[in-house]
Amino acid sequence: MNSPIEACRDKTDVPTFSHHERHRPYSDTLHQEILQPTRFGRYRNSLQAYFAEFAGTMLLVIFGTGANCQVSLSSNQNVSPVPKGSYTSVGFGFAVGISLGVWISASRSGGHINPAVTIALATFRKFPWRRVPGYLFSQLMGGLVGAAIVYANYFHAINIYEGGPGVRTLLTAGNFGTYPVRTLSIWRKPITNSLLKLDYLTNVSAFFSEFLGTALLVIIVFAATDPGNAIPSAAVPMILFVVLLGIALCLGMETGFAVNPARDLGPRLLTSMVGYGGAVYSFRNQYWLWGGVMAPILGGLTGAFLYEFLFTDGGRFKNILYRERLIGLNARSAA
């Protein structure tokens, strides 16, 4: 009989590598079965991109319109003894909002958080058109819910600023949607479209301001996500922080730099639901439609076209333009 030491040395008494190999397939199969998602899990996973767009847009609107409310409402001494911020604060608020919104949504949805960006990516970067309606709806609802959260936070301050509970005019509606308006004293009543309207700013100029801002935004988005530029994905939110801050501080004075239909229409829907009435839509010949929605979408498409046409190597537009030259070069090389 072998001694205990010899028995321990005897390889036949010890589990061998082949012993583990025989059991591994069963363990792996069991492990895979455990990790299979449930029907609810699969349904939730299919909706994660839309949840991400909702959350990202909501963050953008919370920080942006929150900055609007703080700067505007604190100018009334009954709300705050000293003003809390300036127009620069508004620019930083929206810049913080877009960077955080993209950070939270990029890994799940790509971090569009803007219908103009989604439509531009679907048109020029092969983003699936079947997903566009869901993205647009999620972004719009994110804008509405974000504005609702800010409204709930500043509800009492708005009452004081407007001059009484339940009084709602375009004077504070501009903290949520965008309006090309002049700055008024809080005691200048009644508030009418003629009082608010910027006389020097024509409708064409207002349209162009939003068109230009969105075109610049989408150009930078396309540049930051172009594989040829080799920009790390972690840097994209900071790039968007810089570009939106630049648009706000350099181009945003006249119209409030919506540059995002969901950022404008979502909060505008909220204002019409809480007592601001139809004036939020009828202002300046339905500015909400041609200034807040159409101008950003067309500006985004134009910016995307310019980037793809001028900077993308092998893009479809360059291929069309240089097709004959490319065919000629290939024929020569073959000869």
Side-chain angles (χ1 to χ4, degrees), residues 170-181:
L170 293 181
L171 193 60
T172 56
N175 294 328
F176 299 96
T178 60
Y179 301 82
V181 297

Side-chain angles (χ1 to χ4, degrees), residues 16-320:
T16 62
F17 184 78
S18 60
H19 172 85
H20 291 293
E21 283 293 321
R22 285 196 301 272
H23 288 78
R24 183 172 296 171
Y26 174 77
S27 300
D28 288 349
T29 303
L30 182 61
H31 185 63
Q32 291 173 3
E33 290 177 354
I34 292 173
L35 292 180
Q36 286 295 324
T38 63
R39 180 178 300 177
F40 173 77
R42 289 193 297 271
Y43 183 70
R44 185 196 62 182
N45 291 342
S46 68
L47 295 177
Q48 275 191 345
Y50 305 112
F51 292 149
E53 287 297 302
F54 172 87
T57 311
M58 183 179 66
L59 278 179
L60 166 65
V61 171
I62 287 175
F63 282 93
T65 61
N68 271 341
C69 286
Q70 179 165 296
V71 171
S72 172
L73 300 176
S74 67
S75 66
N76 185 319
Q77 290 188 346
N78 293 322
V79 174
S80 173
V82 293
K84 305 295 185 182
S86 63
Y87 179 76
T88 303
S89 307
V90 174
F92 272 97
F94 276 102
V96 168
I98 195 173
S99 61
L100 294 180
V102 171
W103 257 316
I104 198 173
S105 61
S107 63
R108 294 290 182 266
S109 68
H112 300 185
I113 65 172
N114 185 338
V117 172
T118 298
I119 292 172
L121 289 171
T123 304
F124 295 98
R125 289 280 178 90
K126 297 183 179 180
F127 180 76
W129 278 104
R130 61 183 173 80
R131 306 194 74 177
V132 170
Y135 268 52
L136 300 190
F137 180 76
S138 300
Q139 292 156 359
L140 181 63
M141 291 299 101
L144 190 153
V145 173
I149 291 171
V150 173
Y151 181 80
N153 188 61
Y154 284 106
F155 176 80
H156 297 293
I158 292 173
N159 284 342
I160 295 171
Y161 192 93
E162 287 279 15
V167 179
R168 295 294 181 266
T169 69
L170 293 181
L171 193 60
T172 56
N175 294 328
F176 299 96
T178 60
Y179 301 82
V181 297
R182 69 179 76 207
T183 302
L184 294 176
S185 166
I186 61 170
W187 305 116
R188 229 170 136 180
K189 301 288 181 77
I191 301 302
T192 64
N193 287 354
S194 60
L195 272 179
L196 286 168
K197 184 177 178 180
L198 282 174
D199 295 331
Y200 71 85
L201 189 67
T202 65
N203 288 351
V204 173
S205 296
F207 180 93
F208 180 72
S209 180
E210 290 294 333
F211 178 95
L212 175 62
T214 316
L216 293 173
L217 174 65
V218 172
I219 286 173
I220 299 303
V221 168
F222 271 50
T225 56
D226 188 341
N229 291 330
I231 296 174
S233 58
V236 173
M238 186 54 62
I239 292 172
L240 296 178
F241 175 95
V242 172
V243 67
L244 189 57
L245 180 62
I247 291 170
L249 299 186
C250 304
L251 302 171
M253 176 188 74
E254 294 176 326
T255 60
F257 62 97
V259 300
N260 182 335
R263 170 263 173 277
D264 181 79
L265 183 56
R268 197 180 297 268
L269 289 170
L270 183 276
T271 55
S272 67
M273 293 164 61
V274 296
Y276 286 87
V280 299
Y281 302 110
S282 61
F283 177 80
R284 200 160 186 159
N285 302 315
Q286 288 71 47
Y287 173 80
W288 71 272
L289 178 60
W290 56 265
V293 176
M294 296 307 301
I297 291 175
L298 294 176
L301 288 172
T302 302
F305 170 81
L306 289 174
Y307 186 85
E308 292 293 289
F309 180 75
L310 296 174
F311 299 110
T312 303
D313 293 331
R316 53 180 163 177
F317 296 106
K318 285 190 175 183
N319 283 341
I320 292 171

